[in-house]
Structures are given as C-alpha cells and as structure tokens.
Amino acid sequence: MVNLKDILDTDTILKEKYRIENLDNSIITLELVISQKCNLQCKHCYFGDKLPSKSPLSRDEWINIIENAIQNGIKHFHFSGKEPLLNNDLFSVLSYIAKQKNKYSLFYGIVSNGISVEKHIYEKLLSTNLDYIEFSVEGTKDINDFIRGNNHFEKLVTKLDSLLPNDKISTSTTLSEINKDYFLDLLDILIEKKMTKIFAAPLHFVGSAIQNSLNIISPIDLLNIIENSIKKITQLKSTNQEIDLKFCISDFYTEYLINNEHFMSEKLKLYLEYGKPIYWNINGHIVEIALQFVDIPFLRQLIITDDGYILSDADDINKRNYYELSLDNVKKCNFCEIMKLRKKYISNYFTNFLF
Ligand code: SF4
C-alpha cells in the first residue's frame, strides 16, 4: 500500500482527507453482480469455486436497490456476473434504468464473455440507450482459448465482426504472465476489426488464478507492454477510427512506478504533484493510464453481491467469509444507511491506515 506520509506533507494529507470525505456520490460505480451462472470456466475467473448463493436477490429487489441508489446520487451502474446475460431478469432491470437515464443522467453497461447469448440479443441491447458492452478477450486465439475455453476466440470474433464498428463496444484483457507476450498481437487484431475502446488490467491473484497457478505480470513486463503499445499506436495513421487504449493499474503496480525510474516518470511526477492525468495523445489516438494511487475501500466502487452484501472489491467475492467483509446487506438496510456506513468506514480507514 502506498504510504501517504512518504509522499505528502501533513497539511496536504488533511486537506485530502477532507476532500475525499466530502466527495459527491456521483463518483461511485455501483457494480451489480446479477448472475450466478456462467457458460465458461476461465482459468483466471475471480469467482473461483464459489458456490451459488442460497438466497439470490429477486428482480424486484434489484430494481429497488437501483431506485434507492439513484435517489442517493449514484449515476454509474455496472452489471457483471458471473455472466449477466444468463440472468433472465437482466433485460427487465436494464429497462428500468433505461427509463430513468435521461432524468438522472445515468451511465450504465454490462461486461460479457461475448458468447453467452445469440448475436441478436447483443444487437437488441445495443439498440437501447445502454452506454456500453465490455467483451472480455485474453489474447490471440490459442492463448485466449487456453484461458477461456475452446473456440471462444472464434465465436467472439464472429460476433464482433457483425457488431462493429460501434462506439458502445469495448474489450477488456486481464494481463498475466501467461498472456503478456500476446497482447500486442491482440491489439493488431482488435484495431483491424475497428474496435476503438480497448482496456487492459493486470491479473489479481485470486479465485481460479490460484487454483490454476496463473502468475501475475511483473511491473517491468507491464511497463514494457504499455511502452510497446504506445509505439504501436504511434505507427497508426490518423483516421476516423480513433483508438482509446486504457491500462487500469492497481496500487501494487503504482507503488513500483513511484519508486522506480521509467519512461513515464515525468508524467507520473505531474500526476502526483498536480493531479494531471497520465495519457498520450498520438494523432488523435489516446493511450491512458488509470492509476489506483491509494486504494480506499468503498470510495469509488460498491459491489452488490447476488445475495445482497456490499463489498468494496470484486476480489473478495470468492472468499468463504465474504459477508464479513461487507458494509452490510441491502436486504437489511436502505441506501441512505449504506452511504452513512460508507462515509464512516472511509473516515476510519483514512485515520487508521493512511495517516
Ligand atoms: S471470467 Fe467471466 S466468463 Fe470466465 S468463467 Fe468467470 S464469470 Fe465466466
């Protein structure tokens, strides 16, 4: 964990504490783990061997949570799973958000493995006012299929061929020791298919990754991938198809970046001193780095498990005692109470761990 005292003076930390405690709820992403089912068994799945919960939330309970969250200023709703499209209530829940979207300036989307339902279902989703569908892909065919299962790559690419170009579609890749050498080739394929939003983030060593002995990527390898991706994007011509390539980096890697010299040291310094975002604009193509600098639980993300517990990190879902890590359960308290618990937790966390 980054120690604030090593980087900032006391006055700055106190100001930061005040600022963080008073941030608007619109910074929160509410992740709804709406499905207990998946049609794949990926080697890096963070659900691991978690069993289905005994009392999953009903359609009405999900809608009630969303209604409550909207009243408390939450704008971003992210539907995950396991595979969200395998919950038959998903469309009904999404259509509730769709009706509220304009009035409350909401932003919502789903992550999907891309092969859980037929193409026309994805088309139907894309024709609504949903903001995004994020498809997961782990590399070129062989390595992707090794991680996600036979023929996943071909089936996904066939779908993408018929759905792209479309601004609402993005891909996400989990970078690990096993697929790190295939990311640049995947980038070529995605760009050729007119994918414009491409996300990547390092593997967290949890769930099935532990059972399958998948190793995390080293900070040096991650830096190499970012640097080589920038070089690749630099070679692209400026076209109407402007790429947005984003690397989301957890605090473990951020700590390495802060303590070592590398090609992005200058930009990192400006980020730490002035909060300037880290990105490269290359002929209209953007490569950006979303750093997790100080990971304060429950600050920007609340995860509602399929049985109603409120977690700060999806990595906790597979833990046997996940309910003990929860703020509370949405079946027992309303969103206003959840927000109070969150604020209290953040304040204590700041005092006990960061200050
Ligand atoms: S990683 Fe996603 S697609 Fe793969 S098994 Fe887990 S929930 Fe399913």
Side-chain angles (χ1 to χ4, degrees):
M1 186 194 298
V2 174
N3 192 332
L4 285 187
K5 275 185 284 185
D6 294 343
I7 304 166
L8 305 171
D9 59 55
T10 307
D11 261 8
T12 313
I13 297 178
L14 279 175
K15 271 191 221 149
E16 191 58 6
K17 180 174 186 284
Y18 179 81
R19 188 185 70 80
I20 285 176
E21 283 173 359
N22 290 284
L23 282 169
D24 198 87
N25 286 348
S26 62
I27 64 157
I28 299 170
T29 297
L30 193 68
E31 178 171 340
L32 307 129
V33 184
I34 198 165
S35 169
Q36 303 212 60
K37 296 183 204 151
C38 188
N39 53 325
L40 299 183
Q41 287 186 309
C42 303
K43 289 201 164 49
H44 65 328
C45 181
Y46 58 75
F47 284 92
D49 56 5
K50 181 178 171 9
L51 296 169
S53 20
K54 293 194 179 97
S55 49
L57 296 170
S58 66
R59 169 199 166 277
D60 289 350
E61 283 172 318
W62 281 117
I63 288 180
N64 193 32
I65 292 164
I66 292 165
E67 190 181 4
N68 245 277
I70 293 172
Q71 296 309 326
N72 280 276
I74 289 177
K75 308 278 183 203
H76 183 179
F77 295 88
H78 177 76
F79 289 83
S80 64
K82 299 185 176 180
E83 171 58 35
L85 284 157
L86 295 182
N87 180 334
N88 293 335
D89 292 331
L90 180 72
F91 269 92
S92 169
V93 175
L94 290 181
S95 85
Y96 173 81
I97 300 190
K99 285 185 201 133
Q100 314 298 321
K101 179 173 172 161
N102 288 344
K103 185 171 176 194
Y104 295 102
S105 307
L106 306 181
F107 181 73
Y108 71 107
I110 69 163
V111 60
S112 170
N113 61 36
I115 64 163
S116 57
V117 290
E118 297 297 321
K119 184 185 81 173
H120 69 93
I121 305 281
Y122 290 106
E123 285 170 342
K124 186 176 160 196
L125 262 177
L126 290 165
S127 71
T128 66
N129 65 8
L130 167 128
D131 291 283
Y132 63 90
I133 303 180
E134 187 181 305
F135 291 115
S136 6
V137 56
E138 308 308 332
T140 48
K141 182 177 172 15
D142 288 351
I143 188 66
N144 177 79
D145 289 358
F146 176 74
I147 295 171
R148 291 208 164 254
N150 275 349
N151 297 327
H152 174 267
F153 190 81
E154 205 156 313
K155 287 180 189 163
L156 176 67
V157 163
T158 308
K159 287 249 173 51
L160 291 179
D161 281 339
S162 62
L163 299 173
L164 288 170
N166 189 314
D167 273 356
K168 292 183 178 182
I169 298 179
S170 59
T171 57
S172 61
T173 303
T174 304
L175 297 168
S176 65
E177 186 62 24
I178 201 171
N179 67 354
K180 65 174 197 235
D181 296 331
Y182 302 87
F183 182 72
L184 293 177
D185 290 340
L186 173 65
L187 204 51
D188 279 334
I189 295 171
L190 294 174
I191 291 170
E192 197 214 304
K193 303 225 162 277
K194 303 203 182 314
M195 179 68 72
T196 53
K197 297 192 182 90
I198 302 166
F199 306 139
L203 171 80
H204 295 187
F205 193 57
V206 294
S208 301
I210 297 175
Q211 286 135 29
N212 291 306
S213 308
L214 294 192
N215 287 328
I216 63 165
I217 186 171
S218 72
I220 293 176
D221 285 335
L222 181 64
L223 272 169
N224 281 339
I225 287 182
I226 297 172
E227 191 169 16
N228 287 328
S229 299
I230 293 170
K231 283 184 191 152
K232 187 173 278 294
I233 302 279
T234 307
Q235 288 155 12
L236 294 177
K237 294 197 180 98
S238 164
T239 63
N240 290 337
Q241 182 199 343
E242 287 174 351
I243 313 291
D244 183 357
L245 171 61
K246 185 170 176 177
F247 292 92
C248 302
I249 296 181
S250 63
D251 53 348
F252 165 73
Y253 294 91
T254 304
E255 195 168 348
Y256 177 89
L257 295 182
I258 289 173
N259 293 323
N260 292 277
E261 276 298 309
H262 44 79
F263 75 95
M264 62 165 103
S265 290
E266 270 308 302
K267 285 187 186 283
L268 186 62
K269 211 168 143 210
L270 292 173
Y271 170 79
L272 291 173
E273 282 179 20
Y274 306 109
K276 284 188 98 173
I278 301 177
Y279 71 96
W280 292 258
N281 184 337
I282 308 158
N283 302 324
H285 305 298
I286 303 289
V287 179
E288 57 179 314
I289 312 291
L291 284 181
Q292 200 175 49
F293 174 39
V294 179
D295 182 14
I296 301 176
F298 302 108
L299 178 63
R300 293 185 180 274
Q301 180 173 260
L302 296 178
I303 294 162
I304 313 287
T305 64
D306 54 2
D307 50 356
Y309 288 97
I310 307 144
L311 299 177
S312 68
D313 191 337
D315 290 352
D316 292 334
I317 285 178
N318 65 74
K319 293 185 177 146
R320 297 276 178 263
N321 66 339
Y322 67 98
Y323 45 87
E324 288 173 12
L325 307 170
S326 158
L327 273 185
D328 209 320
N329 191 298
V330 291
K331 291 176 184 172
K332 285 200 298 190
C333 59
N334 64 38
F335 231 85
C336 208
E337 288 162 337
I338 294 170
M339 289 297 110
K340 281 187 196 149
L341 289 171
R342 169 183 170 268
K343 197 163 178 172
K344 194 168 161 205
Y345 182 96
I346 292 170
S347 179
N348 287 342
Y349 188 85
F350 226 101
T351 310
N352 296 335
F353 293 103
L354 299 176
F355 195 40

